[in-house]
Amino acid sequence: SHPPLCPPGIKCGGVLSAPSGNFSSPNFPGLYPYETECTWLIVVAEGSSVLLSFSHFELEYHDDCAYDYLQVYNGAARDRGNLLGTFCGHSPPPPFSSAWHVMAVVFRSDRHVAKHGFAAAYRKDACGGQLTGLSGEITSPRYPESYPNDAECRWSIGGASGGGPLTLVFADFQMEGGQGCGFDYVALFDGPTITAPRLGRYCGSARPPRTISSTPHLLIVFKSDFNIGGRGFKAHFYSAGECQEVFTTIKGNFSSPQYPNFYPNNLKCQWSIQLPPGYRIKVFFLDMELEGRSSLTGGCDYDHLSAFDGGTENGSLLGRWCGRENLAPVTSRSNQLLLVLHTDRNTAKRGFSISYVGVVPMNVSCTRTDFHIQIPVQSLAQLKRNRIYLGTPSCAAQVVGRNFKIHTRFDTCGTESQRRNNTSVIVSTLYIDFSMGDQEDIHQYEVQCEPKRKEASVTLIAGPDPSRLSQAENLVDAQQWEGEAMDAQEIKSQDTSDIVFISICILAGLLMVIAVVGLVLL
């Protein structure tokens, strides 16, 4: 017989605010109804966590749990950044401990195949627990009120699928001090138990440093003695696998954790790009969707991505972004760039995908007839001179002292004349071949000269797509000019070689006229 569809009066979901309790799927231990969705929100006292366990579990099975499923969330339901897991079939979920005082459980059934469902129990845990999410927050008991005496709590973090090393950051810290931290303290261990190597032991009012484990497990032990307390601590953790990276290669790409799936909440991730002196870094935003702007302030107050010039957050801010935007490329002023992603406690999105390329330091100048290009050898130390050429491989660089140099006339090396903004310019492409083995990697720069003004510029071409040339940003601070009409200044800027050349032409013309007249008269 078919189980009934969920009648309006059946108990399904709700808010559970008692210190402990039980709940189960509709009709349990009978078959659950079709096309049912229930959400239980478990809320315990601030500063506590929720311990959740399952005594019975039997749902329709599917490899991806696409039919009937149960989901467990850290915090409010339906926020994928807080999802601890999706479960179906006969294997019960593991016991869960929330990373703060709210946990949500969602049960859904489709229109086919019903099973007996599940039975679960929860209780408030004053402190400690097994935390399996990719990110979360922990606080001392009763935080921010004074913590109790004679307390001992253990938080074991780790075991999340795909989790890497863990980062722990203390946002607040105030405990009883004392030499050797013998009274009240927080101890950190690089593994799931106290037998693992100790990463630190802290007390007093100085915030402990950011700590990164070497394994996917971290144990935090809090202990207080019989007297003198403090406010305690507040810390957040996240899996640092895709969240703390340093890049030193000439180009690369990276994305927010779990991209293109929703990123975890409560993150602070840093990507540092460090290239040799003289280089600058150009960043391309391939895709970005973060939580949107605040409706109150209009600013990126929630989740946001920031870029800083240099290696630290003390550097000048190049930009701060959120929401869903198509962003223009950003270029650093120095050889180091830091990107920082902050996410808050809720509303996760798809995240971002970024690529970058190092802008090779070079000096490009021109005369009326020639290009001069100069690149320090140390910037391309691993390359032979034939890997650097203008237009065609036959126009390769020479090594002169400490520089690669290309000195070539406009009528060679694939150079062509174009009109841009009503101005005649000479254009060619500089190729720098970083390819290794089967991996082709050729960077292209457009070099341009306005012969009349003897002004040169160079632009990094973003990929092989020529339509992106128009969006490419000029990387040499060349003097700007308006090419609408030749004004008096422009005429004045012509050098004396023009006047000499015109004078010779006029004189030659006069001589020809005299010669022709002379022949006629003869």
Side-chain angles (χ1 to χ4, degrees), residues 266-277:
N266 222 32
L267 292 180
K268 182 182 179 184
C269 299
Q270 296 187 334
W271 294 268
S272 177
I273 306 168
Q274 302 170 6
L275 297 185

Side-chain angles (χ1 to χ4, degrees), residues 8 58-59 63 65 74 80 128 136 193 209 212 251 278 305 400 458 478:
E58 185 193 351
L59 272 62
D63 282 350
C65 294
N74 247 333
R80 283 190 256 180
T193 66
I212 302 176
K251 74 172 189 178
L305 178 70
V400 181
V458 59

Side-chain angles (χ1 to χ4, degrees), residues 507-521:
L507 187 60
L510 284 170
L511 287 170
M512 279 182 69
V513 170
I514 291 164
V516 169
V517 170
L519 283 168
V520 169
L521 289 174

Side-chain angles (χ1 to χ4, degrees), residues 327-341:
L327 300 175
V330 170
T331 304
S332 68
R333 299 183 196 95
S334 72
N335 63 320
Q336 295 191 47
L337 182 81
L338 180 69
L339 284 147
V340 181
L341 172 68

